[in-house]
Amino acid sequence: MLVVEERIAVVTEAAQAVRVPRQRGEQLLEAAAWYAEERHWDVVPGTWLDVVEGTERCSCGDAGCAAPGAHPARPDWAGQARRMWSRQPGSSVLLPAGRAFDALDVPESAGFLALARMERMGLALGPVTRTPDRRMLFLVLPGASAKAPALVNGLGWDAGALDLVGRGEGAYVVGPPTRVGGRGAVQWARRPSQANRWLPDVEEMISPLAYACAREAADARSRLS
């Protein structure tokens, strides 16, 4: 696991934006080092993509892998170290949740709706990832995963009926620019920057996210009726 303890020099927003890992073409080790050194996030390597008879396959060997090249390589994935990338530089970049951040995982359509509402409300947002599986993950302060269901219920919605999933201790976020098989690369919908170094609390985010997920569920029901 990469953990960088040294102090980081203060840089301007523009200077830092230049160094944010790009959506595509970035070396995965460089991206992992940036997350550890600039954001102080824990980073571990996952599986990678192998080319077998002209077809990309996940290194886990499962032909039906649900997340090819973008999941833990072994059960003790949270304890692996930098040397793994030296042996396999194509390893996916996994960001363990639960210590530096938790993540609120929602459908992409709900995520974009929530982002628009949050911007209108003037909320200070943290980084947000967008996956090829049409999900968006909002990074928030640790502890959000445990708090989210009660907060959703307190707003009058049934937390069990909404597609809003907290990712905390024991879970992970796939870090850009990791590719998920032939589906494409994980991207930043809202990139890490000096402005969002301090993450929001779940209480600030839960109302627009729950509303957007409820709208998504209602639209899905109407399409089926």
Side-chain angles (χ1 to χ4, degrees):
M1 182 178 296
L2 293 176
V3 182
V4 178
E5 301 294 342
E6 62 190 16
R7 289 179 62 85
I8 304 172
V10 176
V11 296
T12 65
E13 176 78 15
Q16 187 176 24
V18 172
R19 295 202 297 272
V20 174
R22 298 185 295 275
Q23 306 285 42
R24 297 179 177 82
E26 184 75 65
Q27 292 295 316
L28 291 166
L29 174 56
E30 293 173 9
W34 190 92
Y35 296 137
E37 293 166 3
E38 294 290 343
R39 300 298 294 206
H40 290 267
W41 291 341
D42 296 338
V43 187
V44 297
T47 53
W48 57 91
L49 294 172
D50 286 327
V51 178
V52 180
E53 297 179 351
T55 302
E56 287 185 325
R57 302 276 180 83
C58 186
S59 62
C60 71
D62 181 359
C65 180
H71 65 85
R74 38 193 270 185
D76 61 341
W77 60 274
Q80 297 177 65
R82 172 185 283 266
R83 65 178 180 274
M84 287 292 294
W85 272 289
S86 298
R87 293 199 297 264
Q88 180 46 254
S91 295
S92 51
V93 177
L94 306 182
L95 308 173
R99 196 176 84 157
F101 61 81
D102 277 10
L104 299 174
D105 181 345
V106 301
E108 183 182 77
S109 55
F112 279 122
L113 176 60
L115 272 178
R117 287 176 63 84
M118 291 173 185
E119 289 171 354
R120 288 197 299 271
M121 295 166 66
L123 295 180
L125 302 176
V128 182
T129 68
R130 179 186 178 193
T131 77
D133 297 319
R134 303 184 68 82
R135 306 289 299 184
M136 291 177 71
L137 289 88
F138 291 71
L139 302 194
V140 293
L141 289 174
S145 179
K147 298 177 184 176
L151 291 172
V152 171
N153 290 337
L155 291 169
W157 285 292
D158 177 4
L162 298 186
D163 191 3
L164 192 165
V165 182
R167 306 291 183 193
E169 185 70 33
Y172 61 90
V173 172
V174 179
T178 299
R179 290 179 55 231
V180 185
R183 303 171 205 166
V186 179
Q187 302 180 36
W188 288 112
R190 180 171 287 269
R191 296 158 70 84
S193 70
Q194 188 69 20
N196 62 27
R197 181 175 293 278
W198 304 108
L199 298 177
D201 196 89
V202 62
E203 282 89 348
E204 303 171 56
M205 313 286 287
I206 200 68
S207 178
L209 282 171
Y211 170 80
C213 288
R215 280 280 303 273
E216 169 76 12
D219 289 346
R221 287 193 298 270
S222 68
R223 289 193 294 269
L224 293 175
S225 62

